[in-house]
mmCIF file of all heavy atoms in Angstrom:
data_model
loop_
_atom_site.group_PDB
_atom_site.id
_atom_site.type_symbol
_atom_site.label_atom_id
_atom_site.label_comp_id
_atom_site.label_asym_id
_atom_site.label_seq_id
_atom_site.Cartn_x
_atom_site.Cartn_y
_atom_site.Cartn_z
ATOM 1 N N ILE A 2 46.066 83.920 178.843
ATOM 2 C CA ILE A 2 46.507 82.532 178.775
ATOM 3 C C ILE A 2 47.971 82.472 179.184
ATOM 4 O O ILE A 2 48.781 83.294 178.763
ATOM 5 C CB ILE A 2 46.306 81.997 177.338
ATOM 6 C CG1 ILE A 2 44.817 81.997 177.002
ATOM 7 C CG2 ILE A 2 46.901 80.617 177.189
ATOM 8 C CD1 ILE A 2 44.517 81.780 175.554
ATOM 9 N N GLN A 16 55.908 85.130 164.307
ATOM 10 C CA GLN A 16 55.599 86.517 163.945
ATOM 11 C C GLN A 16 56.629 87.062 162.961
ATOM 12 O O GLN A 16 56.292 87.845 162.081
ATOM 13 C CB GLN A 16 55.569 87.416 165.185
ATOM 14 C CG GLN A 16 54.327 87.259 166.016
ATOM 15 C CD GLN A 16 54.265 88.321 167.094
ATOM 16 O OE1 GLN A 16 53.410 89.195 167.034
ATOM 17 N NE2 GLN A 16 55.151 88.268 168.062
ATOM 18 N N LEU A 21 57.682 79.597 158.308
ATOM 19 C CA LEU A 21 58.619 78.601 158.830
ATOM 20 C C LEU A 21 57.968 77.224 158.843
ATOM 21 O O LEU A 21 56.828 77.075 159.281
ATOM 22 C CB LEU A 21 59.023 78.935 160.266
ATOM 23 C CG LEU A 21 60.064 80.018 160.508
ATOM 24 C CD1 LEU A 21 60.225 80.261 162.003
ATOM 25 C CD2 LEU A 21 61.393 79.629 159.898
ATOM 26 N N LEU A 26 61.150 75.570 162.647
ATOM 27 C CA LEU A 26 60.703 76.154 163.896
ATOM 28 C C LEU A 26 61.225 75.350 165.087
ATOM 29 O O LEU A 26 61.718 75.917 166.065
ATOM 30 C CB LEU A 26 59.171 76.234 163.924
ATOM 31 C CG LEU A 26 58.524 76.864 165.144
ATOM 32 C CD1 LEU A 26 58.995 78.309 165.351
ATOM 33 C CD2 LEU A 26 57.002 76.814 165.017
ATOM 34 N N LEU A 32 63.402 72.319 170.195
ATOM 35 C CA LEU A 32 62.468 71.240 170.545
ATOM 36 C C LEU A 32 62.505 70.158 169.481
ATOM 37 O O LEU A 32 62.956 70.394 168.354
ATOM 38 C CB LEU A 32 61.033 71.766 170.615
ATOM 39 C CG LEU A 32 60.626 72.668 171.761
ATOM 40 C CD1 LEU A 32 59.190 73.136 171.553
ATOM 41 C CD2 LEU A 32 60.769 71.979 173.092
ATOM 42 N N ASN A 43 48.486 73.629 170.246
ATOM 43 C CA ASN A 43 47.904 74.098 171.495
ATOM 44 C C ASN A 43 47.690 75.611 171.472
ATOM 45 O O ASN A 43 46.652 76.110 171.907
ATOM 46 C CB ASN A 43 48.799 73.693 172.669
ATOM 47 C CG ASN A 43 48.193 74.028 174.012
ATOM 48 O OD1 ASN A 43 47.015 73.803 174.242
ATOM 49 N ND2 ASN A 43 49.001 74.574 174.896
ATOM 50 N N GLU A 46 44.705 76.270 169.283
ATOM 51 C CA GLU A 46 43.451 75.889 169.938
ATOM 52 C C GLU A 46 43.059 76.853 171.054
ATOM 53 O O GLU A 46 41.876 77.102 171.270
ATOM 54 C CB GLU A 46 43.550 74.463 170.479
ATOM 55 C CG GLU A 46 43.551 73.419 169.379
ATOM 56 C CD GLU A 46 43.865 72.015 169.877
ATOM 57 O OE1 GLU A 46 44.189 71.829 171.066
ATOM 58 O OE2 GLU A 46 43.804 71.096 169.032
ATOM 59 N N ASN A 58 52.231 94.710 150.380
ATOM 60 C CA ASN A 58 52.615 96.099 150.192
ATOM 61 C C ASN A 58 51.421 96.782 149.531
ATOM 62 O O ASN A 58 51.124 96.535 148.357
ATOM 63 C CB ASN A 58 53.868 96.179 149.313
ATOM 64 C CG ASN A 58 54.280 97.587 149.026
ATOM 65 O OD1 ASN A 58 53.454 98.470 148.828
ATOM 66 N ND2 ASN A 58 55.575 97.807 148.976
ATOM 67 N N HIS A 123 34.004 107.719 151.637
ATOM 68 C CA HIS A 123 33.399 108.663 152.587
ATOM 69 C C HIS A 123 31.879 108.626 152.474
ATOM 70 O O HIS A 123 31.165 108.585 153.480
ATOM 71 C CB HIS A 123 33.939 110.079 152.329
ATOM 72 C CG HIS A 123 33.374 111.106 153.233
ATOM 73 N ND1 HIS A 123 32.197 111.781 152.956
ATOM 74 C CD2 HIS A 123 33.808 111.592 154.417
ATOM 75 C CE1 HIS A 123 31.942 112.624 153.929
ATOM 76 N NE2 HIS A 123 32.903 112.536 154.835
ATOM 77 N N THR A 125 30.074 106.196 151.438
ATOM 78 C CA THR A 125 29.630 104.917 152.003
ATOM 79 C C THR A 125 29.591 104.994 153.521
ATOM 80 O O THR A 125 28.616 104.567 154.155
ATOM 81 C CB THR A 125 30.568 103.776 151.556
ATOM 82 O OG1 THR A 125 30.531 103.675 150.133
ATOM 83 C CG2 THR A 125 30.177 102.445 152.178
ATOM 84 N N LEU A 129 26.330 104.746 156.827
ATOM 85 C CA LEU A 129 26.223 103.645 157.795
ATOM 86 C C LEU A 129 25.259 104.034 158.907
ATOM 87 O O LEU A 129 25.108 105.217 159.228
ATOM 88 C CB LEU A 129 27.605 103.298 158.368
ATOM 89 C CG LEU A 129 28.620 102.720 157.380
ATOM 90 C CD1 LEU A 129 29.945 102.445 158.074
ATOM 91 C CD2 LEU A 129 28.095 101.458 156.710
ATOM 92 N N PHE A 139 44.187 112.346 156.161
ATOM 93 C CA PHE A 139 45.012 111.537 155.274
ATOM 94 C C PHE A 139 46.399 111.375 155.886
ATOM 95 O O PHE A 139 47.012 112.365 156.317
ATOM 96 C CB PHE A 139 45.156 112.207 153.902
ATOM 97 C CG PHE A 139 44.006 111.956 152.981
ATOM 98 C CD1 PHE A 139 42.805 112.617 153.155
ATOM 99 C CD2 PHE A 139 44.119 111.036 151.954
ATOM 100 C CE1 PHE A 139 41.736 112.387 152.315
ATOM 101 C CE2 PHE A 139 43.053 110.795 151.110
ATOM 102 C CZ PHE A 139 41.852 111.476 151.289
ATOM 103 N N LEU A 141 50.171 111.182 155.574
ATOM 104 C CA LEU A 141 51.119 111.662 154.575
ATOM 105 C C LEU A 141 52.218 110.640 154.296
ATOM 106 O O LEU A 141 52.692 110.517 153.172
ATOM 107 C CB LEU A 141 51.748 112.974 155.038
ATOM 108 C CG LEU A 141 50.751 114.120 155.262
ATOM 109 C CD1 LEU A 141 51.479 115.346 155.784
ATOM 110 C CD2 LEU A 141 49.996 114.428 153.976
ATOM 111 N N LEU A 145 55.991 104.234 161.042
ATOM 112 C CA LEU A 145 56.196 102.955 161.712
ATOM 113 C C LEU A 145 54.918 102.145 161.610
ATOM 114 O O LEU A 145 53.822 102.667 161.841
ATOM 115 C CB LEU A 145 56.540 103.173 163.192
ATOM 116 C CG LEU A 145 56.665 101.932 164.066
ATOM 117 C CD1 LEU A 145 57.870 101.090 163.644
ATOM 118 C CD2 LEU A 145 56.790 102.332 165.523
ATOM 119 N N LYS A 146 55.056 100.880 161.251
ATOM 120 C CA LYS A 146 53.916 99.972 161.207
ATOM 121 C C LYS A 146 54.418 98.609 161.629
ATOM 122 O O LYS A 146 55.209 97.990 160.920
ATOM 123 C CB LYS A 146 53.322 99.913 159.801
ATOM 124 C CG LYS A 146 52.098 99.037 159.712
ATOM 125 C CD LYS A 146 51.526 99.063 158.312
ATOM 126 C CE LYS A 146 50.311 98.187 158.227
ATOM 127 N NZ LYS A 146 49.759 98.196 156.879
#
Side-chain angles (χ1 to χ4, degrees):
I2 296 168
Q16 284 189 112
L21 281 175
L26 182 59
L32 289 176
N43 186 44
E46 289 171 355
N58 177 322
H123 179 273
T125 299
L129 294 179
F139 277 76
L141 299 177
L145 175 67
K146 183 178 180 180

